[in-house]
């Protein structure tokens, strides 16, 4: 079964052709990150304009590279949330247009859930598992009982982890998106020089808070003439404190769910090698699944893959009235 996936939740316009929910025949992604770079964060209006400009060429290129014609496509999957409403509408309308023109079923999927599916694309999932989504918009800890069946454990009460990396990058005058630049700078830094701490949330031991640590970085850099060594030490100290907090709360969740067989991670921050190393070091007894690096970031292959799985569970098209939603909880 051939699925075409479309992703436009934020600043990436992506289309992918996926066979049987697993085999990626093509994946084409056009990012508008360079347009947002000078604003230090995503400028929604600019993201929307870029989606409109590139969505059709991206779809055409994905079909060409995947060597499929419209007649070979069995299902159209699209992320209908969560994300920026204007951005979501462009992918969703494109998907609906294709569904009408090609007379094919179409299905809306949750972008955050798809981030978790990204690490399942190359195998049958080992369940029950813990899911950890670490992206620019989301920080979630949940139990995965099955695809589509999750139990919420923790979330951020303020900034998402990727957002905190991006804000710290901005404070250190690094380009947007900042996560990879902070990681790079941290390679030469001393993680013990500054005692930054991620927040704990009263009576919610599994929840996250990153706005305090970002403010601590702000006060550390404010009105200071920082050397490159100072900046590297700040990056390393921030990164270590933030990532250790994720590891600590994942460890607590493992204790709460002792039948956990695996941990699935997803989202852009999973491209951080220190995060990958810390998880391997702290949880040697559980199977760890990270998406490949291109599937950690926003992409349409995970949308097509998850759409296929949902369609297997319930083989019927969504209504053409399906709405874009800025927020859709997955548990
Ligand atoms: O999943 P994603 O592509 O988009 C969202 O759904 O938000 O994640 C993008 C986020 C950005 O905040 C980016 O700075 C962060 O992931 N990121 C990283 C790394 N690579 C990307 N954060 C830390 N270390 C990295 N290597
Ligand atoms: Zn994402």
């Amino acid at each position: 079964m051939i699925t075409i996936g479309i992703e436009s939740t934020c600043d990436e316009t992506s289309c992918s052709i996926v066979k049987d929910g697993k085999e990626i025949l093509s994946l084409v992604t056009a990012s508008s990150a360079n347009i947002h770079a000078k604003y230090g964060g995503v400028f929604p209006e600019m993201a929307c304009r870029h989606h409109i400009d590139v969505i059709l060429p991206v779809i055409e290129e994905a079909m060409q590279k995947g060597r499929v014609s419209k007649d070979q496509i069995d299902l159209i999957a699209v992320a209908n949330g969560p994300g920026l409403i204007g951005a979501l509408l462009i992918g969703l309308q494109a998907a609906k247009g294709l569904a009408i023109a090609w007379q094919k079923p179409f299905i809306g999927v949750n972008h955050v859930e798809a981030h978790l599916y990204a690490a399942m694309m190359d195998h049958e999932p080992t369940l029950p598992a813990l899911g950890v989504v670490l992206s620019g918009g989301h920080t979630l800890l949940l139990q995965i009982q099955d695809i589509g069946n999750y139990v919420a454990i923790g979330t951020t009460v303020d900034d998402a982890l990727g957002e905190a990396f991006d804000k710290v990058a901005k404070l250190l005058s690094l380009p947007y998106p900042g996560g990879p630049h902070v990681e790079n700078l941290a390679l030469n830094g001393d993680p013990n020089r500054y005692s930054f701490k991620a927040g704990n949330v009263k009576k919610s031991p599994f929840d996250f808070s990153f706005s305090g640590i970002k403010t601590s970085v702000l006060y550390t850099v404010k009105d200071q003439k920082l050397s490159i060594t100072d900046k590297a030490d700040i990056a390393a100290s921030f990164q270590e404190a933030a990532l250790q907090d994720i590891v600590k709360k994942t460890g607590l969740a493992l204790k709460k769910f002792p039948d956990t067989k695996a941990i699935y991670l997803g989202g852009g921050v999973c491209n951080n090698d220190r995060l990958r190393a810390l998880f391997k070091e702290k949880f040697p007894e559980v199977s760890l699944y990270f998406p490949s690096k291109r599937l950690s970031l926003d992409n349409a292959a995970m949308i097509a893959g998850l759409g296929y799985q949902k369609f297997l569970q319930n083989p019927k098209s969504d209504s053409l009235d399906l709405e874009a939603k800025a927020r859709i909880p997955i548990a």
Side-chain angles (χ1 to χ4, degrees):
M1 186 165 155
I2 303 282
T3 306
I4 183 168
I6 297 176
E7 153 67 37
S8 70
T9 57
C10 190
D11 56 345
E12 264 90 34
T13 320
S14 182
C15 182
S16 177
I17 309 292
V18 173
K19 191 175 167 195
D20 296 333
K22 301 270 175 212
E23 191 188 337
I24 302 173
L25 303 182
S26 67
L27 171 57
V28 176
T29 302
S31 175
S32 57
N34 60 337
I35 300 174
H36 310 298
K38 58 177 172 289
Y39 306 105
V42 176
F43 193 134
E45 174 66 23
M46 301 289 213
C48 293
R49 287 185 206 177
H50 184 260
H51 285 308
I52 288 174
D53 286 346
V54 302
I55 186 117
L56 293 179
V58 163
I59 291 172
E60 276 178 351
E61 193 182 330
M63 289 179 64
Q64 269 167 19
K65 287 194 169 149
R67 296 175 185 276
V68 291
S69 68
K70 64 180 169 49
D71 299 331
Q72 292 166 285
I73 290 172
D74 300 296
L75 176 67
I76 300 154
V78 60
N80 68 313
L84 303 170
I85 278 292
L88 285 164
L89 281 172
I90 295 154
L92 183 58
Q93 292 308 108
K96 287 180 181 177
L98 294 180
I100 294 167
W102 296 346
Q103 290 292 297
K104 305 278 173 165
F106 104 107
I107 187 161
V109 302
N110 184 312
H111 171 89
V112 176
E113 188 181 352
H115 268 307
L116 282 178
Y117 184 72
M120 299 176 185
M121 283 203 72
D122 56 1
H123 66 283
E124 283 306 307
T126 311
L127 301 171
L130 288 184
V132 187
V133 181
L134 306 171
S135 73
H138 304 275
T139 305
L140 278 183
L141 190 53
L142 30 83
Q143 192 201 28
I144 311 172
Q145 295 182 341
D146 199 354
I147 292 174
N149 189 358
Y150 311 94
V151 177
I153 303 175
T155 188
T156 177
V157 296
D158 41 55
D159 292 345
L161 180 60
E163 190 181 356
F165 268 90
D166 293 339
K167 287 177 176 171
V168 166
K170 199 172 174 186
L171 292 171
L172 295 173
S173 312
L174 298 169
Y176 172 84
H181 298 283
V182 171
E183 178 180 15
N184 219 8
L185 189 59
L187 288 175
N188 302 314
D190 172 4
N192 299 313
R193 174 155 164 212
Y194 296 94
S195 55
F196 298 135
K197 255 181 114 64
N200 284 315
V201 182
K202 245 191 189 161
K203 295 192 181 147
S204 304
F206 300 107
D207 281 340
F208 303 92
S209 168
F210 297 110
S211 71
I213 188 170
K214 171 201 68 192
T215 310
S216 306
V217 174
L218 168 70
Y219 286 130
T220 307
V221 305
K222 206 172 167 210
D223 304 325
Q224 299 294 319
K225 253 192 143 342
L226 298 170
S227 68
I228 185 66
T229 308
D230 297 332
K231 286 188 174 185
D233 292 347
I234 291 169
S237 302
F238 158 77
Q239 173 175 273
E240 195 63 19
L243 299 183
Q244 289 283 1
D245 185 62
I246 302 288
V247 167
K248 182 181 93 184
K249 287 166 185 170
T250 306
L252 285 179
L254 270 181
K255 286 205 177 105
K256 182 170 170 173
F257 296 99
D259 59 341
T260 298
K261 295 203 179 102
I263 304 177
Y264 285 90
L265 293 103
V269 185
C270 293
N271 273 351
N272 187 295
D273 285 330
R274 179 64 187 145
L275 174 86
R276 290 182 183 230
L278 268 179
F279 266 77
K280 283 180 192 149
E281 182 189 315
K282 301 282 171 158
F283 307 118
E285 74 285 9
V286 254
S287 308
L288 288 177
Y289 294 102
F290 287 93
S292 64
K293 291 209 166 182
R294 73 174 179 155
L295 295 188
S296 293
L297 297 168
D298 286 352
N299 70 86
M302 65 184 191
I303 305 297
L306 180 62
Y308 165 83
Q309 298 292 346
K310 297 261 159 174
F311 196 73
L312 279 191
Q313 290 174 353
N314 181 16
K316 82 183 207 333
S317 182
D318 273 330
S319 150
L320 289 170
D321 293 336
L322 183 77
E323 290 181 353
K325 292 215 166 108
R327 289 165 188 275
I328 319 180
I330 71 170

Coordinates of all heavy atoms in Angstrom, one line a residue, residues 7 9-10 12 82 111-112 114-115 133-138 266-268 296-299 302, ligand 2:
E7 N 3.3 17.3 5.3 CA 3.6 17.9 6.6 C 3.8 19.4 6.4 O 4.7 19.8 5.6 CB 4.9 17.3 7.2 CG 5.7 18.1 8.1 CD 5.1 18.4 9.5 OE1 4.3 17.5 10.0 OE2 5.3 19.5 10.0
T9 N 3.3 21.7 9.5 CA 2.8 22.2 10.8 C 3.5 23.5 11.2 O 3.0 24.3 12.0 CB 2.9 21.2 11.9 OG1 4.3 20.8 12.0 CG2 2.1 20.0 11.7
C10 N 4.8 23.7 10.8 CA 5.6 24.8 11.3 C 6.3 25.4 10.1 O 5.7 26.0 9.2 CB 6.5 24.3 12.4 SG 7.3 25.7 13.3
E12 N 8.6 23.7 8.0 CA 9.1 22.8 7.0 C 7.9 22.3 6.2 O 6.8 22.0 6.7 CB 9.6 21.5 7.6 CG 11.1 21.5 7.8 CD 11.6 22.1 9.1 OE1 10.9 21.9 10.1 OE2 12.7 22.7 9.1
P82 N -0.9 19.2 16.0 CA -0.9 20.6 16.4 C 0.2 21.4 15.6 O 1.1 20.8 15.1 CB -0.5 20.5 17.9 CG 0.2 19.2 18.1 CD -0.2 18.3 17.0
H111 N 0.7 15.4 14.5 CA 2.1 15.6 14.3 C 3.0 15.0 15.4 O 4.1 14.5 15.2 CB 2.4 17.1 14.1 CG 3.8 17.5 14.0 ND1 4.5 17.6 12.8 CD2 4.6 17.9 14.9 CE1 5.7 18.0 13.0 NE2 5.8 18.2 14.3
V112 N 2.6 15.2 16.6 CA 3.4 14.8 17.8 C 3.5 13.3 17.9 O 4.5 12.7 18.2 CB 2.9 15.5 19.1 CG1 3.7 15.0 20.3 CG2 2.9 17.0 19.0
A114 N 3.2 11.4 15.4 CA 4.0 11.0 14.3 C 5.5 11.0 14.7 O 6.3 10.2 14.2 CB 3.8 11.8 13.0
H115 N 5.9 12.0 15.5 CA 7.3 12.1 15.9 C 7.7 10.8 16.7 O 8.8 10.3 16.6 CB 7.5 13.3 16.9 CG 7.9 14.5 16.2 ND1 9.0 14.6 15.4 CD2 7.4 15.8 16.3 CE1 9.2 15.8 14.9 NE2 8.2 16.6 15.4
V133 N 8.9 12.8 23.6 CA 9.0 13.7 22.4 C 9.6 15.0 22.8 O 9.2 15.7 23.8 CB 7.5 14.1 21.9 CG1 7.6 15.0 20.7 CG2 6.8 12.8 21.6
L134 N 10.7 15.3 22.1 CA 11.5 16.5 22.5 C 11.7 17.4 21.2 O 12.6 17.1 20.4 CB 12.9 16.1 23.0 CG 12.8 15.1 24.2 CD1 14.2 14.6 24.5 CD2 12.2 15.8 25.5
S135 N 10.8 18.4 21.1 CA 10.9 19.2 19.8 C 10.9 20.6 20.1 O 11.0 21.0 21.3 CB 9.8 18.8 18.9 OG 8.6 19.3 19.4
G136 N 10.8 21.5 19.1 CA 10.7 22.9 19.3 C 9.4 23.3 19.9 O 9.3 24.4 20.6
G137 N 8.4 22.6 19.7 CA 7.0 22.9 20.2 C 6.5 22.1 21.4 O 5.5 22.4 22.0
H138 N 7.2 20.9 21.6 CA 6.6 19.9 22.5 C 7.7 19.2 23.4 O 8.8 19.0 22.9 CB 5.8 18.9 21.8 CG 4.8 19.5 20.9 ND1 3.5 19.8 21.4 CD2 4.8 19.9 19.6 CE1 2.8 20.4 20.4 NE2 3.6 20.4 19.3
G266 N 11.5 10.9 20.0 CA 11.3 11.6 18.8 C 11.3 13.1 18.9 O 11.3 13.6 20.0
G267 N 11.4 13.8 17.8 CA 11.5 15.3 17.8 C 12.9 15.8 17.6 O 13.9 15.0 17.8
G268 N 13.0 17.0 17.1 CA 14.3 17.6 16.7 C 15.5 17.5 17.7 O 16.6 17.3 17.3
S296 N 14.2 12.7 12.8 CA 14.0 13.4 14.1 C 13.3 14.7 13.8 O 12.4 15.1 14.5 CB 15.3 13.6 14.8 OG 15.9 12.5 15.2
L297 N 13.8 15.4 12.8 CA 13.3 16.7 12.5 C 11.9 16.6 11.8 O 11.6 15.5 11.3 CB 14.2 17.5 11.6 CG 15.6 17.8 12.2 CD1 16.6 18.3 11.2 CD2 15.5 18.8 13.3
D298 N 11.2 17.7 11.7 CA 9.8 17.6 11.0 C 10.0 17.0 9.6 O 10.8 17.5 8.8 CB 9.2 19.0 11.0 CG 8.7 19.5 12.3 OD1 8.7 18.6 13.3 OD2 8.3 20.6 12.4
N299 N 9.2 16.0 9.3 CA 9.3 15.4 8.0 C 7.9 14.7 7.7 O 7.2 14.4 8.6 CB 10.4 14.4 8.0 CG 10.1 13.2 8.9 OD1 9.4 12.2 8.4 ND2 10.4 13.2 10.1
M302 N 7.2 10.4 8.5 CA 6.5 9.9 9.7 C 5.0 10.1 9.7 O 4.2 9.4 10.2 CB 7.1 10.7 10.9 CG 6.9 12.1 11.0 SD 7.7 12.9 12.4 CE 7.0 14.6 12.4
Ligands
LIG2 ZN1 7.8 18.5 15.1

